Amino acid sequence: MAVSLPNGILIALATVYAAAKSVTILSNANPAVATAAAHGFAEGDFVEVTSGWSRLNGRVVRVGAVDTNTFELEGIDTSDVNLYPVGTGIGSVRQITAWQQITQVLDATTTGGDMQFATYSFLESDFESQLPTQSSAQSLTISVADDPALAGYQALRTASEQRTVRALRLTFPSGAISLYNGYLSFNETPSMTKNQVMACQGTFSLMSKPVRYAAPAI
């Protein structure tokens, strides 16, 4: 059993991506192994995955063990061929080459991500039953103390204006990391409540499930 505080969490937004590299083979394994000729990745790099496997498509993952033409997708288990049909997961990856820390974050909250259910009942029954369907859309909202001169503020504004999918990385004091991928909307009009710090809100609408690593790369 363990408890922790959010104090010290660092939040960073992906600002620069390398050109996409084709993945010609993606294995059914734990962890999954991708084949990309002369990929040039190093262990600990972060990549955005485009894949024929919908459960993997759009997720941001950390690169595990590497070889000249192959690399592991750390923490990604594709061994269940019912969920990840053999030979259909190929696509591409693009490396995140630069991050901008978002400073002066006051708080971060999440909404959605809960399981939804389809309900049904038989004529002879006097109660309803439920079947799980899918998770609801998930968002992460950060509140940032208002200062347009900050590089992080400017990065949020640019990402919002460009309306392109971006990665967001949360680094916890323990070294654990959470990775998100989605669209950012940034409200530049700050809150204005007497005796409270003025703050702007950035809402990150996820396009895929987040990826969590409990420890830093070795």
Side-chain angles (χ1 to χ4, degrees):
M1 179 180 292
V3 296
S4 56
L5 296 172
N7 304 12
I9 291 177
L10 301 179
I11 299 178
L13 178 71
T15 55
V16 182
Y17 291 79
K21 295 181 181 291
S22 296
V23 172
T24 55
I25 300 174
L26 194 53
S27 71
N28 291 93
N30 185 18
V33 177
T35 298
H39 53 75
F41 300 143
E43 186 172 354
D45 285 345
F46 296 99
V47 295
E48 179 193 64
V49 181
T50 298
S51 170
W53 288 328
S54 60
R55 289 173 178 263
L56 178 58
N57 186 53
R59 302 181 83 180
V60 176
V61 305
R62 192 164 64 189
V63 172
V66 299
D67 204 341
T68 303
N69 298 312
T70 62
F71 60 95
E72 292 181 351
L73 303 181
E74 183 183 348
I76 301 300
D77 182 359
T78 59
S79 57
D80 188 337
V81 296
N82 293 313
L83 300 178
Y84 303 93
V86 177
T88 62
I90 60 173
S92 63
V93 294
R94 58 174 185 160
Q95 182 185 0
I96 299 167
T97 57
W99 300 84
Q100 175 60 57
Q101 183 183 345
I102 310 302
T103 56
Q104 298 191 171
V105 177
L106 298 171
D107 59 55
T109 58
T110 62
T111 58
D114 51 311
M115 181 57 68
Q116 300 180 89
F117 293 86
T119 60
Y120 66 96
S121 179
F122 301 120
L123 290 176
E124 66 270 20
S125 300
D126 60 357
F127 60 91
E128 287 188 330
S129 299
Q130 299 183 86
L131 289 173
T133 56
Q134 60 189 8
S135 297
S136 63
Q138 186 175 354
S139 297
L140 174 68
T141 298
I142 60 175
S143 180
V144 181
D146 183 45
D147 186 352
L150 292 176
Y153 182 106
Q154 296 171 18
L156 291 172
R157 179 173 56 196
T158 298
S160 179
E161 291 174 348
Q162 291 179 345
R163 297 186 180 184
T164 55
V165 175
R166 297 289 187 93
L168 194 71
R169 181 183 67 194
L170 273 62
T171 304
F172 297 82
S174 65
I177 289 175
S178 285
L179 299 167
Y180 305 85
N181 205 31
Y183 289 98
L184 178 72
S185 58
F186 185 53
N187 185 353
E188 294 187 68
T189 301
S191 59
M192 289 171 274
T193 303
K194 188 174 181 179
N195 297 326
Q196 293 186 17
V197 172
M198 291 197 303
C200 297
Q201 283 197 333
T203 300
F204 208 69
S205 301
L206 303 192
M207 301 302 295
S208 56
K209 285 186 176 182
V211 175
R212 179 78 182 267
Y213 294 107
I218 298 175

